[in-house]
Amino acid sequence: MDHEVGDEVLDRARKALRGCEGVRSLRLNCRELEVADSTGLSVLLQLRRDAQEAGIRFHLDDTRPILERLLRITGTYDYLTCTSAACPPSDAEAAIETREGGSGG
């Protein structure tokens, strides 16, 4: 993911998130990713923020060495790759889970 495709990836992911009520997670499979630069990192960080604001978990799956290296160098690896089981929910997720879990009765 680089300056040539970053905007397209961001647009497609945002379109997928719009109007998807009930979606609990956004997982991006990076298996075929061969190039990653600062633009790609920016896109991933923006998608992570968008997902968090919507109360959706975000996770990168199957990161390749090129992306993993970029994420580790920039200190964003854990932030972008932690799994739902290993990461505490965001504030928005916690609010959603509280409403769903506490409404029965």
Side-chain angles (χ1 to χ4, degrees):
M1 184 169 344
D2 60 13
H3 68 280
E4 291 184 25
V5 298
D7 288 337
E8 181 181 344
V9 171
L10 184 60
D11 288 342
R12 285 185 181 194
R14 283 179 165 171
K15 284 178 185 176
L17 285 174
R18 278 189 221 123
C20 293
E21 291 186 35
V23 172
R24 303 189 125 221
S25 67
L26 172 61
R27 301 182 75 95
L28 298 179
N29 189 315
C30 301
R31 177 180 50 239
E32 296 181 21
L33 188 67
E34 296 178 5
V35 176
D37 67 9
S38 61
T39 300
L41 177 61
S42 178
V43 167
L44 295 175
L45 291 169
Q46 184 59 56
L47 287 175
R48 170 68 163 79
R49 284 188 295 269
D50 290 351
Q52 185 172 357
E53 288 174 10
I56 298 171
R57 291 185 192 272
F58 177 87
H59 181 72
L60 297 178
D61 289 328
D62 206 2
T63 58
R64 291 298 182 213
I66 187 78
L67 179 59
E68 185 172 333
R69 182 174 184 273
L70 176 65
L71 299 179
R72 290 197 185 277
I73 287 171
T74 59
T76 58
Y77 183 82
D78 289 337
Y79 180 71
L80 291 172
T81 63
C82 73
T83 62
S84 58
C87 297
S90 67
D91 292 341
E93 289 171 321
I96 290 169
E97 290 172 5
T98 300
R99 280 196 307 267
E100 291 174 352
S103 61

